[in-house]
């Protein structure tokens, strides 16, 4: 039977909720409302005034081939960052969950990259793969690889995907390891006694029991690729070459702060907010059905 919590003072529940409501209004509803209002304006080139233009900024964006290309770039970037970071983290978590000597040291070392700021991670990878001075770039050229992400858009995209995935592996590793340690060992031992191999046990017992953790990380990693990789892209490629690494959130910055096209930038923010909202609804509407709690 569900036990309901009651308050003697009728104002107390509202006072307890007030700090969270204030934070939500100040840091979400107010900026979102400002972005929506600014997306309907066209500022003059000198910033002295603005003209109400209804949905002209949105019409311009959907006729801009560079903006439409940034959707494809964002989809490719998000897919591979999520795939690489989650699959590698799951592999590391399964290996670390085995009883081996010095497991604590391995787990600690795998968590360290999470403490590195995105901009610092971008600089580290840039120095390693920079065509002129990078250590790894030097050996790649020695092996005959024509490596130059400064001019090659595909190589630049590969580089930012690897850096962004590396930064997120530690976070995914922590949750996968916690999920693995929560699985009753008796289930796995019973399957082993029945003759099930390691891969069969993982596919039929371990991975299905990890589905709530996997679903949570899928949502978190998509949001991470959409919003939190700005520092990596800015320090490594600045969206280039030829806007080949310009994802949606970086184009908002590029058009708004560099190009001073505030109306277009605000319209892009509104579209980005809608896209992320639709993706979240799709994930909870369709993918969550396959999750077993």
């Amino acid at each position: 039977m569900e036990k309901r919590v009651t308050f003697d003072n009728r104002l107390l529940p509202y006072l307890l909720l007030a700090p969270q409501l204030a934070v939500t209004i100040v840091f979400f509803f107010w900026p979102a409302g400002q972005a929506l209002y600014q997306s309907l304006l066209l500022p003059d080139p000198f910033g002295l005034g603005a003209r109400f233009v209804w949905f002209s900024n949105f019409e311009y964006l959907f006729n801009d081939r560079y903006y439409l290309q940034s959707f494809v770039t964002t989809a490719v970037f998000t897919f591979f960052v999520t795939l690489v970071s989650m699959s590698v983290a799951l592999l590391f978590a399964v290996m670390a969950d085995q009883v081996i000597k010095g497991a604590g040291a391995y787990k600690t070392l795998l968590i360290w990259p999470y403490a590195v700021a995105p901009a610092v991670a971008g600089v580290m990878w840039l120095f390693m793969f920079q065509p002129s001075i990078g250590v790894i770039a030097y050996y790649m050229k020695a092996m005959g690889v024509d490596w130059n992400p400064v001019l090659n858009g595909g190589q630049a995209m590969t580089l930012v995907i690897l850096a962004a995935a590396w930064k997120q592996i530690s976070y995914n590793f922590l949750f996968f390891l916690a999920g693995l340690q929560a699985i009753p060992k008796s289930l796995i031992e019973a399957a082993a006694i029945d003759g099930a191999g390691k891969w069969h046990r993982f596919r039929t017992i371990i991975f299905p029991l990890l589905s709530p953790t996997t679903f949570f990380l899928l949502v978190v990693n998509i949001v991470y690729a959409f919003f939190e990789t700005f520092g990596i892209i800015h320090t490594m490629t600045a969206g280039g070459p030829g806007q080949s690494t310009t994802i949606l959130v970086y184009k908002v910055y590029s058009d708004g702060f560099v190009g001073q096209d505030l109306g277009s930038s605000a319209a892009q923010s509104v579209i980005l907010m809608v896209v992320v909202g639709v993706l979240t609804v799709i994930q909870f509407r369709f993918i969550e059905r396959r999750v077993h709690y």
Side-chain angles (χ1 to χ4, degrees):
M1 183 177 179
E2 184 180 356
K3 186 176 180 181
R4 300 189 62 181
V5 177
T6 57
F7 295 90
D8 296 333
N9 190 331
R10 297 181 63 181
L11 286 177
L12 182 58
Y14 300 102
L15 291 175
L16 293 174
L17 287 174
Q20 181 61 46
L21 289 174
V23 170
T24 305
I25 291 171
V26 171
F27 293 102
F28 179 74
F29 286 109
W30 174 256
Q34 281 292 313
L36 185 60
Y37 175 66
Q38 292 290 335
S39 68
L40 305 177
L41 302 178
L42 181 64
D44 68 50
F46 301 101
L48 301 177
R51 184 162 53 92
F52 196 80
V53 293
W54 288 101
F55 300 102
S56 296
N57 288 322
F58 295 94
E59 292 177 8
Y60 171 79
L61 286 175
F62 286 111
N63 289 313
D64 181 6
R65 67 184 181 92
Y66 291 109
Y67 182 65
L68 297 178
Q69 179 61 35
S70 67
F71 274 92
V72 179
T73 304
T74 304
V76 172
F77 178 76
T78 303
F79 175 78
F80 283 105
V81 168
T82 304
L83 177 66
V84 173
S85 61
M86 290 185 65
S87 57
V88 174
L90 179 58
L91 175 64
F92 285 167
V94 171
M95 296 172 67
D97 191 45
Q98 306 297 319
V99 180
I100 57 174
K101 188 176 182 180
Y106 289 121
K107 294 173 185 176
T108 303
L109 291 174
L110 285 168
I111 295 170
W112 277 7
Y114 186 59
V116 179
V120 176
V123 172
M124 288 169 50
W125 280 77
L126 179 64
F127 275 113
M128 288 191 295
F129 286 91
Q130 213 281 339
S132 302
I133 60 174
V135 175
I136 298 179
Y138 171 80
Y139 288 107
M140 292 175 70
K141 286 189 175 182
M143 291 187 294
V145 178
D146 185 16
W147 175 257
N148 193 350
V150 179
L151 299 177
N152 189 310
Q155 293 179 357
M157 175 58 82
T158 303
L159 190 56
V160 293
I161 286 173
L162 291 175
W166 173 82
K167 177 72 178 66
Q168 190 67 2
I169 284 174
S170 302
Y171 182 88
N172 298 337
F173 169 78
L174 283 173
F175 281 88
F176 275 133
L177 184 61
L180 287 170
Q181 292 179 342
I183 296 175
K185 300 300 180 187
S186 57
L187 289 176
I188 302 172
E189 292 170 357
I193 292 173
D194 288 341
K198 286 186 177 180
W199 169 245
H200 189 71
R201 295 199 298 269
F202 177 81
R203 185 173 59 83
T204 58
I205 299 175
I206 297 174
F207 192 69
L209 291 175
L210 278 177
S211 58
T213 305
T214 306
F215 176 69
F216 166 75
L217 289 177
L218 178 66
V219 176
V220 169
N221 278 263
I222 290 176
V223 173
Y224 163 76
F226 263 81
F227 293 105
E228 298 178 33
T229 52
F230 173 86
I232 293 174
I233 292 177
H234 187 61
T235 53
M236 295 184 73
T237 63
Q243 299 198 19
S244 59
T245 57
T246 300
I247 62 174
L248 288 171
V249 69
Y250 194 81
K251 190 158 180 60
V252 171
Y253 160 78
S254 178
D255 289 355
F257 289 88
V258 180
Q260 289 295 303
D261 190 354
L262 300 181
S264 174
S265 179
Q268 292 177 39
S269 300
V270 173
I271 294 172
L272 184 58
M273 184 168 57
V274 172
V275 168
V276 173
V278 170
L279 282 176
T280 304
V281 170
I282 291 174
Q283 288 171 347
F284 278 90
R285 181 70 176 81
F286 298 103
I287 300 178
E288 196 185 22
R289 290 180 176 179
R290 299 178 181 274
V291 176
H292 304 285
Y293 293 98

